[in-house]
Amino acid sequence: MRRFGYLAPKSVSEAVSVLAEHAAVAKVIAGGTDLVVQMKDGVRRPEVVIDITGIDELRLLEERDDGLHLGALVRMGEIETHPLIIEKYPILVDSAKLVGSKQVRNLATIAGNTCNASPGADTPPALIALDAQVHVLGPRGPRVVPIDRFFVGPGRTVLEPGELVTKFVLRKAAPNEGAYYERHTPRKELDIAVVGVGAWVRLNGETIEDARIGLAAVYPTPLRATEAEAALRGKPFGQAALDAAALAAVAQARPISDVRGSADFRRWLIDVLVRRAVTNAVARARGGGPRAGETH
Amino acid sequence: MLKERVGHATVTIRCVVNGVERTVTTVPNRTALELIREDLALTGAKEGCGTGDCGACTIIVDGRPVNGCLLLAPMLDGKTVLTVEGVARGGKLHPVQQTMVEMGGLQCGFCTPGFVVTAVNFLEHNLNPTEEEVRVAIAGNLCRCTGYSKIVDAILEAAKRMREGEGR
């Protein structure tokens, strides 16, 4: 690793001010599971590393009236074992449990998995499904960015130099709603999605009143499959709705061929996984479906 | 290229490693694994891949197994660390170490320290695991020699002995 200066601010305001001061040459470290590897490879060469792990206010994890508040530093390992999340937000368990290995999940954070902005990251589709609002603080004050507008390209987000993600606020769980994430990988752990699909639905009897779908590894960014959502809205849940949603998601995706799979294979996977994710989201909305994290 | 550097060029790290308070002053651009192996001379944890994929560098930080190769050294400040060197008690091997030896849970041995600390930590949370639970627990540790069967058997046997009152 190239040499860098190290700073460990103890409050969000201190973090924002040191980050603003060194914006052009600084990187924020939370878990480090992506950044440290990138620094070893020389892909990223910050002159200053700002360690935010000493800031307790970023560890927030609680449900409030306006939704589930997840601080930037909430770890994957916390998400997968947290009773409230297991009970009410199982899609977060589905996705967090698939990141890296146990050792990686004990370091990796929700903000890190988002800000690293890998098109194939597992938690962004779940955050898209739950309509996460990203709370950002910077030199010009706070702002809130909807998750589906947060990503710009591979490894790139809307964050301006000097800005820091402080928390995510997710749509509060409600009766008649359910969400589910699944990815396809050759192995169960320590792998990266060939395709991942997260789906959220609100039911009114047999009708899908509302839906949100997020896709991983099929586009330069995590993708909100708006066309697939539109194909579901107001339709009775069943074969016709699933056909239409799968077709729309495949059409909206722009998968590439790479070491993990061909573009054609990925289109097949989108078709299969959109059907499966919506079906399991509906099952959860009805009070059944797979247990949290049981996505194989 | 000489540039005026911002932030701390050196850091002083105070942490408790295997029950002993340690203080190290070093440059920040090092990993926890490098600090532990080079500065503290605890060479049990190994650098396999350096990218968090193999688990050979697993150490327990504040009660949780993590990849030492992914953690920056300065981030150990204020933490409590357990390495494989701290697992045995009073000259007696931990049941996990004992069963790994007895049941041939290793061949070349390079991955063994990582498996041992992962398993020791796992059994602290689950003393009555199924085989599937053991396999999931060690999914972050790769072994290129054994095929895992004997490692899994050794961990299950260690759990049994610990339930029967052996151990710490």
Side-chain angles (χ1 to χ4, degrees):
Chain A
M1 266 184 291
R2 242 180 44 151
R3 290 202 62 171
F4 54 76
Y6 173 82
L7 292 168
K10 288 288 174 254
S11 70
V12 171
S13 55
E14 193 192 338
V16 169
S17 78
V18 296
L19 190 54
E21 198 182 331
H22 309 302
V25 294
K27 279 298 290 180
V28 169
I29 192 166
T33 56
D34 291 309
L35 182 64
V36 172
V37 175
Q38 290 159 1
M39 291 198 299
K40 286 181 180 185
D41 289 344
V43 176
R44 291 195 194 272
R45 300 175 167 189
E47 289 175 32
V48 183
V49 170
I50 297 170
D51 173 4
I52 58 170
T53 57
I55 306 173
D56 286 340
E57 52 195 299
L58 298 177
R59 299 194 179 279
L60 167 84
L61 195 170
E62 65 178 24
E63 193 177 47
R64 297 181 186 166
D65 289 345
D66 63 343
L68 179 70
H69 290 239
L70 288 180
L73 292 177
V74 170
R75 292 183 306 269
M76 300 294 159
E78 276 177 276
I79 290 173
E80 66 176 315
T81 56
H82 198 283
L84 169 78
I85 295 181
I86 290 170
E87 184 200 353
K88 296 179 80 173
Y89 302 91
I91 188 177
L92 295 176
V93 180
D94 300 341
S95 60
K97 208 174 175 174
L98 292 169
V99 174
S101 64
K102 191 79 203 167
Q103 289 94 321
V104 168
R105 293 192 295 273
N106 282 334
L107 293 169
T109 63
I110 188 79
N113 199 228
T114 304
C115 294
N116 188 54
S118 164
D122 288 304
T123 56
L127 294 175
I128 288 169
L130 297 184
D131 198 26
Q133 303 299 303
V134 188
H135 288 243
V136 174
L137 194 60
R140 286 179 294 168
R143 63 180 177 130
V144 178
V145 183
I147 187 77
D148 56 332
R149 292 215 280 279
F150 187 76
F151 304 102
V152 176
R156 292 169 50 232
T157 70
V158 298
L159 287 183
E160 305 274 346
E163 283 191 321
L164 179 75
V165 169
T166 56
K167 67 177 176 184
F168 301 82
V169 179
L170 280 55
R171 180 179 289 260
K172 191 170 182 174
N176 304 320
E177 295 177 4
Y180 175 87
Y181 176 80
E182 184 173 338
R183 74 177 187 191
H184 175 77
T185 48
R187 8 177 231 179
K188 285 185 183 179
E189 287 227 10
L190 278 166
D191 211 339
I192 296 172
V194 186
V195 168
V197 179
W200 169 92
V201 295
R202 180 193 299 132
L203 299 180
N204 184 348
E206 286 303 299
T207 304
I208 299 171
E209 203 167 70
D210 198 4
R212 266 190 312 279
I213 295 176
L215 306 179
V218 301
Y219 202 77
T221 61
L223 177 66
R224 183 170 173 189
T226 47
E227 302 297 319
E229 295 170 8
L232 293 171
R233 252 177 230 118
K235 304 287 192 309
F237 171 67
Q239 199 62 48
L242 291 175
D243 287 347
L247 194 68
V250 170
Q252 203 178 343
R254 295 281 175 273
I256 57 167
S257 296
D258 66 7
V259 64
R260 277 178 249 288
S262 68
D264 276 345
F265 179 45
R266 284 192 159 101
R267 279 187 275 268
W268 274 100
L269 287 171
I270 296 165
D271 184 271
V272 171
L273 292 177
V274 164
R275 295 166 189 274
R276 205 178 285 171
V278 172
T279 302
N280 283 324
V282 168
R284 280 180 175 170
R286 291 171 172 164
R291 285 168 44 186
E294 294 194 356
T295 63
H296 292 290
Chain B
M1 194 172 78
L2 275 174
K3 279 181 98 166
E4 195 181 339
R5 221 176 297 280
V6 282
H8 304 294
T10 62
V11 286
T12 297
I13 301 151
R14 290 179 191 82
C15 54
V16 174
V17 182
N18 300 333
V20 182
E21 193 148 337
R22 309 296 293 257
T23 303
V24 181
T25 299
T26 183
V27 292
N29 53 314
R30 301 175 70 210
T31 64
L33 181 65
E34 289 168 342
L35 183 97
I36 286 166
R37 286 179 56 84
E38 295 161 13
D39 300 34
L40 304 183
L42 296 166
T43 55
K46 302 286 186 279
E47 174 133 27
C49 63
T51 53
D53 291 287
C54 77
C57 64
T58 304
I59 54 175
I60 311 297
V61 176
D62 285 352
R64 287 185 293 270
V66 300
N67 301 105
C69 76
L70 295 179
L71 189 62
L72 285 185
M75 295 167 90
L76 280 180
D77 189 46
K79 302 282 196 287
T80 300
V81 182
L82 176 73
T83 72
V84 71
E85 289 88 346
V87 163
R89 280 283 178 272
K92 192 166 176 284
L93 292 181
H94 187 281
V96 169
Q97 293 172 304
Q98 191 61 43
T99 55
M100 288 281 271
V101 171
E102 285 176 27
M103 304 174 72
L106 61 145
Q107 287 175 32
C108 86
F110 192 81
C111 68
T112 311
F115 271 100
V116 168
V117 295
T118 300
V120 166
N121 180 269
F122 169 66
L123 295 179
E124 281 172 10
H125 300 282
N126 184 352
L127 250 194
N128 202 355
T130 62
E131 180 186 330
E132 176 67 14
E133 286 169 334
V134 170
R135 288 186 178 274
V136 169
I138 60 174
N141 294 81
L142 301 182
C143 173
R144 301 287 83 166
C145 301
T146 63
Y148 303 104
S149 295
K150 291 184 172 183
I151 297 172
V152 173
D153 292 347
I155 296 169
L156 287 168
E157 175 64 19
K160 180 167 168 281
R161 293 183 190 181
M162 288 166 78
R163 287 197 304 274
E164 291 164 359
E166 258 190 69
R168 322 213 69 172

